[in-house]
Amino acid sequence: MAQLVQQYLDRILAEHAGVSDGVLADYIPELAGVDPEGFALSLSSADGHVYETGSTAVEFTIQSISKPFTYALALDSLGQAAVDARIGVEPSGEAFNEISVDKTSKTPKNPMINAGAIAAASLVPGATADERFDALHDFYSGFAGRRLELDHDVYASEKATGNRNRAIAYMLASFGVLEGDPDEALDVYFRQCSLKVTSTDLARMAVTLARGGVNPATGRRVTNAAVVKRTLSVMVTCGMYDAAGDWVSAVGMPAKSGVGGGIVAVLPGQLGIGTYSPRLDAKGNSVRGVRVCRSLSEQLGLHFLSVARDSRATLRAVYEPRDNVRVYETHGDLLFSGAELLVRTVDRDRGRFEVAILDVSRVDDIDDAARSMLSGMSAELRSQNKVGYLVDPDGIVIRTGSDFEQVRYLCVDDAVEAAEQALRRGFAG
Ligand code: GLU
């Protein structure tokens, strides 16, 4: 039954697999040498369950997706006031590698452009570049829930070809934004861009942000909620190069992309997404990655401005009024991630009941994605010789033709009674 979500993701990936628009980044030879067909999508639920589809084993360099995480570490280590004194939070409207600072403050406009990212790397505490990189490396790995590795070739290339970034670092030093040796800050920055991730690492990093800094897979708190709030805010306004406006209106999730072909997207409180496809559009964002995120958002109702409530509130209680009968009581808004949790919980329990009673009488709102998952769940139960009853007094799930149509009850007692009779007759499916 958990394959319902899997099937959604497989289908969304397949819908865009044929798209071949865009070009590989070629400012360093390593990026131009990757397989252009690599295509992966990973999604982590708020409790750390990961779904993945496509080439999720392919590792690629994190590149600019590192920027929000370094910014978060700077905030975490120095506090917001000290970081704000060096790096702004305004969209720049300029290219990501523009050699510029804010005219008045003489500080980088935001931490998602190279100037701000190099400044953030220089703020990470440590006596040497190695120490600072180690701190970053640990921090990112805490988000991913595994030790990330460095791509030494990409690092060497970034370093050999990074004159523009050198110009930025020396400009920042001249304005007093960078303390210490600019080459040391650059070295940390080149290494952070060269860490390797998979789409699944990105989904896990995203969900750790979605959970306010706790990695749900490891249970470890990596940073605090105030740092996450600030980081996500900057991702909303500045995360997608010069396409932030389009992205926010069409997809509606704080996100960051990188020229390595990755995108990380966060639905606060609910889920994290990682995508990979290395062909980029003119703005530097992964063509298929953007399309996949757009489809996910549209089809599963993930836009953050349309999400009213926290999905963790969805499952209110699970109990067993009789042997072989389990009641799943839901409340709040039943949207994609709540339905996902419900379907996965019912699936996990399937050896423990003959009849599952789903009580939606306290649900305020339900969307089409959740409705269709419940319908899929009902069909799936039947194929396992079990049955799903629905307690839906207001008819919010039931639509003509829905799989639940014949098994709708007005209250839990009626459903339990019907389940007892059915079990007594030896009927279970
Ligand atoms: N290492 C790259 C640079 O600084 C990052 C580019 C990116 O992903 O935007 O040019």
Side-chain angles (χ1 to χ4, degrees):
M1 213 178 302
Q3 62 269 32
L4 288 171
V5 176
Q6 187 64 46
Q7 285 158 6
Y8 262 120
L9 301 187
D10 293 345
R11 200 188 62 221
I12 285 173
L13 200 80
E15 273 170 22
H16 301 289
V19 175
S20 60
D21 303 355
V23 289
L24 297 177
D26 60 0
Y27 75 97
I28 58 173
E30 282 69 19
L31 294 181
V34 304
D35 175 6
E37 296 307 325
F39 192 21
L41 164 63
S42 304
L43 183 150
S44 170
S45 65
D47 61 357
H49 183 84
V50 168
Y51 299 90
E52 33 179 38
T53 181
S55 26
T56 52
V58 172
E59 290 193 308
F60 51 94
T61 50
I62 189 168
Q63 296 294 344
S64 274
I65 302 170
S66 61
K67 291 169 179 171
F69 297 97
T70 296
Y71 181 59
L73 179 54
L75 289 167
D76 191 301
S77 316
L78 303 182
Q80 192 171 311
V83 176
D84 282 354
R86 309 264 170 154
I87 309 167
V89 290
E90 293 302 329
S92 72
E94 293 169 343
F96 71 97
N97 57 2
E98 198 63 32
I99 307 176
S100 74
V101 285
D102 182 80
K103 283 194 185 64
T104 327
S105 67
K106 302 284 187 268
T107 56
K109 293 213 176 87
N110 70 67
M112 303 294 137
I113 54 172
N114 287 11
I118 294 167
S122 82
L123 294 179
V124 172
T128 60
D130 282 346
E131 269 185 39
R132 271 189 265 148
F133 176 68
D134 287 348
L136 272 178
H137 194 176
D138 285 348
F139 193 67
Y140 292 19
S141 299
F143 275 91
R146 73 163 182 121
R147 188 91 188 140
L148 301 177
E149 301 291 332
L150 187 74
D151 186 322
H152 292 275
D153 295 338
V154 170
Y155 165 51
S157 265
E158 296 266 358
K159 204 167 176 149
T161 59
N163 283 340
R164 200 177 171 94
N165 286 324
R166 253 172 225 114
I168 292 172
Y170 277 85
M171 168 196 68
L172 294 177
S174 80
F175 288 127
V177 174
L178 284 193
E179 300 280 349
D181 181 359
D183 283 313
E184 238 180 69
L186 284 164
D187 189 45
V188 175
Y189 173 71
F190 291 141
R191 280 195 260 178
Q192 78 173 49
C193 290
S194 308
L195 283 166
K196 290 185 286 188
V197 289
T198 63
S199 61
T200 297
D201 291 324
L202 293 181
R204 291 190 189 283
M205 293 171 90
V207 83
T208 302
L209 290 171
R211 288 288 310 273
V214 173
N215 181 328
T218 61
R220 220 189 108 200
R221 176 168 286 287
V222 187
T223 187
N224 64 63
V227 164
V228 169
K229 184 168 139 200
R230 173 46 95 84
T231 304
L232 290 177
S233 306
V234 181
M235 288 166 76
V236 171
T237 51
C238 316
M240 297 300 283
Y241 301 114
D242 238 358
D246 262 1
W247 174 270
V248 171
S249 42
V251 180
M253 282 182 252
K256 184 74 197 88
S257 67
V259 294
I263 298 179
V264 71
V266 180
L267 187 54
Q270 301 203 37
L271 49 86
I273 293 168
T275 66
Y276 171 64
S277 175
R279 281 190 290 250
L280 310 178
D281 62 22
K283 301 206 160 157
N285 295 315
S286 161
V287 174
R288 291 190 297 190
V290 170
R291 292 194 191 201
V292 160
C293 290
R294 222 184 150 113
S295 294
L296 276 171
S297 177
E298 279 165 9
Q299 296 183 27
L300 305 182
L302 304 183
H303 197 294
F304 73 146
L305 297 178
S306 65
V307 172
R309 264 164 242 196
D310 193 327
S311 69
R312 276 174 293 166
T314 300
L315 208 48
R316 187 170 187 258
V318 179
Y319 57 95
E320 211 172 305
R322 301 282 180 279
D323 279 356
N324 288 322
V325 178
R326 261 172 115 74
V327 178
Y328 297 85
E329 202 177 283
T330 55
H331 70 162
D333 289 352
L334 198 48
L335 308 176
F336 167 73
S337 49
E340 184 276 329
L341 177 66
L342 178 67
V343 166
R344 187 152 45 88
T345 308
V346 172
D347 191 37
R348 187 199 60 202
D349 294 351
R350 66 175 182 261
R352 304 169 62 176
F353 64 77
E354 299 286 325
V355 181
I357 298 174
L358 172 60
D359 178 6
V360 296
S361 50
R362 289 182 190 78
V363 168
D364 301 322
D365 196 11
I366 179 165
D367 69 1
D368 284 342
R371 205 174 263 127
S372 105
M373 282 175 65
L374 296 190
S375 184
M377 179 172 99
S378 154
E380 193 73 34
L381 283 171
R382 213 163 321 141
S383 77
Q384 295 170 4
N385 262 348
K386 299 180 188 297
V387 66
Y389 290 173
L390 190 69
V391 178
D392 184 13
D394 304 324
I396 61 159
V397 174
I398 299 292
R399 290 190 160 174
T400 316
S402 142
D403 283 308
F404 266 120
E405 208 173 352
Q406 291 86 25
V407 289
R408 174 183 166 205
Y409 296 92
L410 297 181
C411 67
V412 174
D413 288 349
D414 290 356
V416 173
E417 162 113 30
E420 270 180 341
Q421 284 174 14
L423 289 170
R424 225 175 290 130
R425 288 198 309 269
F427 158 82

